[in-house]
Amino acid sequence: MPNLGVVAHAADDLRVEALPEPAPRADEAVVEIAYGGVCGSDLHYWRHGAAGASVLREPMVLGHEIAGTVVAAAADGSGPRVGVRVAVHPLTPKGDGSTPWPADRPNLAPGSSYLGSALHLPHTQGGFAARVALPTRLLHAVPDALPLEAAALAEPAAVAWHGLERAGDVRGKRVLVIGAGPIGQLVVAVARHHGAAEVFATDLHELPRDLARQHGAIAIDATDAAAIAELHADVVVESSGTVPGLASAIAACRRGGTVVLLGLQRAGDVPAAIATAITRELTLTGSFRFADEFDDVIAALADGTLDVSGIVTHVLPAEQAVEAFGIAADASVSSKVLLDFTAAAAADPTVDLAVDSSQGSIG
């Protein structure tokens, strides 16, 4: 079977190509990828050739929401053995030699690399391929009870978990989620897991609102400003990454409440009702990726206490990556889209290689 990969070359230039077989370093295992979730950053590389400040300057294998099975253990003896099913933590924390950062919050390390990121050059190649070599420090064993389709949600679920926990203990509280896309759906699920008394979710589209209802949330049309402002939520998680979403988050938060800024806003100045935040003594807190929550998320997925049923709306073969990305970009018809690498068909033997074999491993 060819080692098919999903490679971004430039804006609007996404290709499914045959890659060289992985050449692992001593501390890397070869993982046969089963499923990979299409993330918003993957969509940005496809549509714009960049995700924020991370600009494509060379072909890059996308993907950081991945799960699979170890098919070759690391030569140095570290990490899982052959046959172990794993979810992948995409972050390698690293300082930049000058910028201070808290050692107990590795997600804030300023020189870090992340699978499928163009921030650095050479780019950090991602995991959307049939077989990839990955450092064993990134590999987390998956319990037998957890299907690999659900294990592929561990990374975005950890983003949601971290975001909600930035607000502290939400047990017995009223939680509002602004934007019921994939991350917003997972925030709803985590809020239920964490014991929130009431969970609300807003979105512009009916399908995401229906999915939120299935997970016990009260869904509100995002254009209903009056209904949102009347919620007086203890905790609001802004997951849309939009200016109107930020305005709704501040308007909906009760006096003395907390707004978690989870959705990544556009670069530069963003208008916000700061006077309202001041007079209500709101706590506005950022949330970026996640830290040490990954194993807790895997355990909650495995025992079913973190219910992610229905959040994956489409699973397409990896060969149909371009179609899958198009579906993922349409918020009105999908939530989370997975690529299935388990049954890759024979690739066209005339296809060009996207990555030269001299580049070796991914990660």
Side-chain angles (χ1 to χ4, degrees), residues 154-228:
E155 193 274 350
V159 171
W161 189 293
H162 179 76
L164 193 63
E165 293 201 336
R166 293 285 291 145
D169 189 353
V170 300
R171 284 177 294 180
K173 293 185 177 180
R174 172 176 280 205
V175 175
L176 168 64
V177 182
I178 302 290
I183 293 295
Q185 298 288 345
L186 290 166
V187 175
V188 169
V190 173
R192 300 294 294 177
H193 174 275
H194 283 23
E198 294 179 288
V199 182
F200 300 81
T202 73
D203 204 88
L204 294 170
H205 304 289
E206 185 59 30
L207 175 60
R209 294 197 296 265
D210 281 343
L211 289 173
R213 291 186 189 102
Q214 292 173 25
H215 286 90
I218 299 169
I220 301 173
D221 190 318
T223 63
D224 193 343
I228 293 169

Side-chain angles (χ1 to χ4, degrees), residues 210-313:
D210 281 343
L211 289 173
R213 291 186 189 102
Q214 292 173 25
H215 286 90
I218 299 169
I220 301 173
D221 190 318
T223 63
D224 193 343
I228 293 169
E230 292 171 359
L231 288 175
H232 303 289
D234 301 294
V235 173
V236 183
V237 180
E238 202 304 295
S239 66
S240 74
T242 66
V243 172
L246 177 57
S248 294
I250 292 175
C253 195
R254 71 163 177 84
R255 293 171 182 268
T258 299
V259 176
V260 179
L261 307 175
L262 180 58
L264 186 62
Q265 293 283 337
R266 71 191 188 206
D269 295 338
V270 174
I274 295 301
T276 301
I278 292 170
T279 58
R280 293 185 185 178
E281 289 195 355
L282 303 183
T283 298
L284 306 182
T285 183
S287 182
F288 183 60
R289 294 175 176 164
F290 54 96
D292 299 323
E293 300 91 346
F294 203 62
D295 286 329
D296 290 337
V297 170
I298 291 173
L301 288 170
D303 66 19
T305 56
L306 180 58
D307 179 12
V308 297
S309 58
I311 291 177
V312 173
T313 58

